[in-house]
Amino acid sequence: MHMHKFEKIWLIFGVAMLIVFLTVIGVSAFYLGNQPPSCLATIDPVKVDTTAPFNEPGLKKVEGKEWDYELVFVASAFSYSPGAVEVPLGAKVKIIATTKDVIHGFEVAGTNINMMLEPGYISEHITTFDKTGEYLILCNEYCGVGHHMMTSKIEVVE
Ligand SMILES: [Cu+2]
């Protein structure tokens, strides 16, 4: 069978791209552990204030886990609790957050932390803050008239 030279090049290019994409997805999923959220962690949104760990928002040291601290946030229109929190530099922190009312965002500006907080679900993210400074947390899901005032901050200190 005769194949035109350009057709061959195009076929090789296509197959090579397919292999590249599958490799990227494979490494991301199986080596780096990037998985879609399971949505298995649920909570009764009207009982957030009395359900652990959301009854005590803030930073807590934990023992015997993969991470050193748990940082609990509760979002509600139009604020986060806590309104500001100090995190030690270099600590591995698991951020655990939920909302009491409507959908809110949880974006830590200047990082790749960006979660959607949905009523009834718990959003989690494990991270390490490697640089000292102030990190602004903001809501990037429009939630009502006070949306633009909805902020908190993480202060990374030595
Ligand atoms: Cu909001």
Side-chain angles (χ1 to χ4, degrees), residues 103-105 139 141 143 147 150:
I103 292 177
H104 293 288
C139 178
E141 298 283 341
C143 54
H147 170 68
M150 193 165 165

